[in-house]
Amino acid sequence: MKGVLFDFSGTLFRIETAESWLRAVLAETGHTLPEPELTEKARALEAAGALGGGARPVLPVPTDLADLWEVRDRSAEQHRAAYTGVSRQVSLPGPGLHDALYDRQMTPAAWKPYPDAAEVLGALRGRGLAVGVVSNIGWDLRPVFREHGLDPYVGTYVLSYEHGIQKPDPRLFAIACAELGIAPEDTLMVGDDRRADGGAAALGCAVHFVDHLPAADRPDGLRPVLELAD
């Protein structure tokens, strides 16, 4: 292997819990909810799929949002519209809170790297391997990497909304390989979504999957990458 591509959410970083997310936005905007109601609203938002990087929707995506939801990662505008749209299924104490929730999930404070992320990325770069990030997303995640000290390890970021292409389209992985100057057959793609991240296999990349778990429950899930990348 000459390079490793990583997914972002659920692979290198994990989003905060829905309750922490809602609690932070209520505090920032001066709103309050009784504790039982706050917990209930957080669960409802998560079930609707409103927390980007969190659980997939448990509830059906509303019919009027279904088509948008499928292509939400192709532009910043579509991404915001899709997530705030499903968020609005849950009533909140202020009309601006749905956009405030969306804005919160774009902040470094909302994300935590997996415990072994820095160790694994550092080891790969120390061996001279190229490292890239390929993500289906609608906003710039580079500040998250910078804030948490992982940016020095990353040679390129290939983000779906910047190219109008979303995984599993092999073209997104091809862009990453080209920007790193490595051939797909010399590249390992690491991700948590078998459909989206598995698209790299069509290009000739090797693929390895990790479990999308809370950071505390996956302390060393990235370490096998070091053996696979030998």
Side-chain angles (χ1 to χ4, degrees):
M1 290 295 170
K2 295 181 180 178
V4 183
L5 305 177
F6 289 91
D7 174 51
F8 166 56
S9 173
T11 301
L12 291 175
F13 281 84
R14 174 74 183 205
I15 190 72
E16 64 187 332
T17 66
E19 187 171 323
S20 170
W21 173 54
L22 178 57
R23 192 181 299 279
V25 169
L26 290 173
E28 289 166 4
T29 58
H31 291 85
T32 59
L33 283 172
E35 281 298 314
E37 188 176 354
L38 188 153
T39 301
E40 178 187 346
K41 296 289 187 185
R43 288 175 180 166
L45 286 163
E46 187 169 38
L51 177 58
R56 290 184 174 86
V58 174
L59 302 175
V61 175
T63 303
D64 61 334
L65 290 174
D67 290 342
L68 175 63
W69 188 258
E70 290 301 312
V71 297
R72 65 191 182 278
D73 297 313
R74 294 185 187 176
S75 77
E77 295 77 17
Q78 288 170 300
H79 196 268
R80 178 181 284 274
Y83 278 99
T84 57
V86 295
S87 174
R88 288 189 174 93
Q89 295 179 89
V90 181
S91 62
L92 295 174
L97 286 176
H98 300 286
D99 277 303
L101 284 169
Y102 183 84
D103 292 340
R104 166 74 184 180
Q105 62 190 355
M106 294 191 289
T107 65
W111 296 88
K112 177 184 290 187
Y114 280 92
D116 55 347
E119 172 195 339
V120 170
L121 292 177
L124 292 172
R125 295 295 293 130
R127 295 178 188 176
L129 274 73
V131 172
V133 172
V134 183
S135 178
N136 277 353
I137 200 165
W139 48 272
D140 186 5
L141 52 72
R142 295 172 183 86
V144 176
F145 279 77
R146 288 196 292 268
E147 180 69 21
H148 290 282
L150 300 189
D151 179 66
Y153 305 123
V154 181
T156 190
Y157 296 91
V158 178
L159 312 181
S160 60
Y161 84 101
E162 293 182 336
H163 298 276
I165 306 167
Q166 64 188 47
K167 298 182 289 186
D169 193 319
R171 290 178 294 170
L172 207 62
F173 306 103
I175 292 168
C177 290
E179 291 190 357
L180 291 173
I182 53 177
E185 57 269 25
D186 296 325
T187 304
L188 173 66
M189 174 65 202
V190 182
D192 67 301
D193 188 319
R194 279 163 171 73
R195 178 179 177 274
D197 300 312
L203 192 65
C205 301
V207 181
H208 174 69
F209 297 108
V210 294
D211 294 323
H212 187 132
L213 294 170
D217 296 342
R218 211 194 75 193
D220 53 7
L222 290 167
R223 290 200 178 112
V225 172
L226 297 177
E227 295 180 15
L228 292 169
D230 275 342

